[in-house]
Amino acid sequence: ELLDARDSPAATLPDVERSKAIWEYCIQLSVKKTALRKQLLQCCMVLLSGPNGVAALRAVSDKRRMGIWKIPSSGGGPSGVDMLLTMTRDCGIALDELLDPVEEVLKSVTFVSVLQARFCEFPEQARSCAVGVALSNAETGVGEREKRKLPTAPRPAKG
């Protein structure tokens, strides 16, 4: 059903409940079969092309399990950053829901460098999330981060 929708503009995307089940399945498969992440990304992008898939994604809990930062950027097609941009800009999902734990995200050198290069395309509220703050600090050279190639996660405020 989902692949038909990808290949034919006349095909109908699944309803919200079915889309939510597909999201959950894709997330579970992404965790268990990491080699399939790139292919799963393509399915997820199809889901995001319709309102039912977007509504279903909003209803899915613990979206960070997708591990978007772990999706290989090679091989053509959309990248993890493309998917992240679609989810935040077009679907209104907060970056903090998708990129956590921040320390793990920041270890993905390729993902972080592409994200930094394209961060201006993200909604304004992305700059205030944990990854956004780390990227902003790295760009402005705040503290010791200017000596590092990758940003570090902001430390929680004492209080």
Side-chain angles (χ1 to χ4, degrees), residues 26-43 65-67 70-76:
C26 286
I27 291 170
Q28 289 175 12
L29 202 54
S30 174
V31 171
K32 293 178 183 176
K33 302 284 186 184
T34 58
L36 297 177
R37 282 192 174 127
K38 188 70 174 178
Q39 291 83 359
L40 290 169
L41 171 71
Q42 293 172 356
C43 290
R65 294 176 295 149
M66 282 186 265
K70 298 176 183 176
I71 297 171
S73 58
S74 60

Side-chain angles (χ1 to χ4, degrees), residues 8-56:
S8 171
T12 306
L13 290 170
D15 63 23
V16 175
E17 283 305 311
R18 180 113 168 90
S19 294
K20 185 176 179 191
I22 294 170
W23 274 115
E24 289 290 350
Y25 178 75
C26 286
I27 291 170
Q28 289 175 12
L29 202 54
S30 174
V31 171
K32 293 178 183 176
K33 302 284 186 184
T34 58
L36 297 177
R37 282 192 174 127
K38 188 70 174 178
Q39 291 83 359
L40 290 169
L41 171 71
Q42 293 172 356
C43 290
C44 292
M45 292 300 280
V46 172
L47 278 171
L48 291 173
S49 69
N52 292 340
V54 172

Side-chain angles (χ1 to χ4, degrees), residues 21-114:
I22 294 170
W23 274 115
E24 289 290 350
Y25 178 75
C26 286
I27 291 170
Q28 289 175 12
L29 202 54
S30 174
V31 171
K32 293 178 183 176
K33 302 284 186 184
T34 58
L36 297 177
R37 282 192 174 127
K38 188 70 174 178
Q39 291 83 359
L40 290 169
L41 171 71
Q42 293 172 356
C43 290
C44 292
M45 292 300 280
V46 172
L47 278 171
L48 291 173
S49 69
N52 292 340
V54 172
L57 176 63
R58 288 184 183 132
V60 169
S61 63
D62 205 12
K63 296 170 194 62
R64 67 181 178 82
R65 294 176 295 149
M66 282 186 265
I68 294 172
W69 63 93
K70 298 176 183 176
I71 297 171
S73 58
S74 60
S79 70
V81 173
D82 293 325
M83 183 170 159
L84 193 64
L85 184 59
T86 299
M87 290 176 157
T88 57
R89 185 183 60 199
D90 302 342
C91 304
I93 307 292
L95 274 181
D96 284 333
E97 290 183 67
L98 302 163
L99 299 179
D100 188 53
V102 177
E103 296 79 17
E104 290 299 314
V105 174
L106 297 177
K107 289 178 186 176
S108 180
V109 177
T110 303
F111 179 82
V112 170
S113 65
V114 173

